[in-house]
Amino acid sequence: MSAQPDHAPVTPYAPAPGAPAELLAQLRADRRADRWVPAFEQEWAAALEESRRTFSLAALYEVLQEWHGRLAHAPAVEAFVASGYDDSEFIDMAELRGRRR
């Protein structure tokens, strides 16, 4: 019997070395650059400091993933807001759970 796991470990997300610079260039080219670039730089600096303290790249990878997601989903969010859809009558799941008790 072996002490090795019987499954392959999940490979963590590892961006290309130039990914932060490419992402920053995309953010600078976006019309929301005046808000997004400073926010990205602040989050990146905090993640960089955490990485120095913990010797882990996880925080840096997480910042990249989150900002890629923001860029990718921004058009859909804008379209939703522009549609004028009224979501004020949403279902409050916490309230529904409270009623069942």
Side-chain angles (χ1 to χ4, degrees), residues 78-86:
E78 289 177 347
F80 176 79
V81 171
S83 73
Y85 179 77
D86 180 13

Side-chain angles (χ1 to χ4, degrees), residues 43-98:
E43 288 181 28
W44 184 257
L48 189 58
E49 185 57 37
E50 182 178 335
S51 292
R52 287 181 180 136
R53 192 178 67 253
T54 63
F55 298 100
S56 170
L57 298 175
L60 295 169
Y61 293 171
E62 185 176 312
V63 169
L64 288 176
Q65 282 184 311
E66 288 176 4
W67 279 96
H68 277 292
R70 287 179 184 145
L71 273 175
H73 293 96
V77 170
E78 289 177 347
F80 176 79
V81 171
S83 73
Y85 179 77
D86 180 13
D87 65 344
S88 62
E89 296 295 323
F90 73 97
I91 298 172
D92 185 352
M93 295 305 291
E95 184 180 331
L96 285 177
R97 284 187 208 104

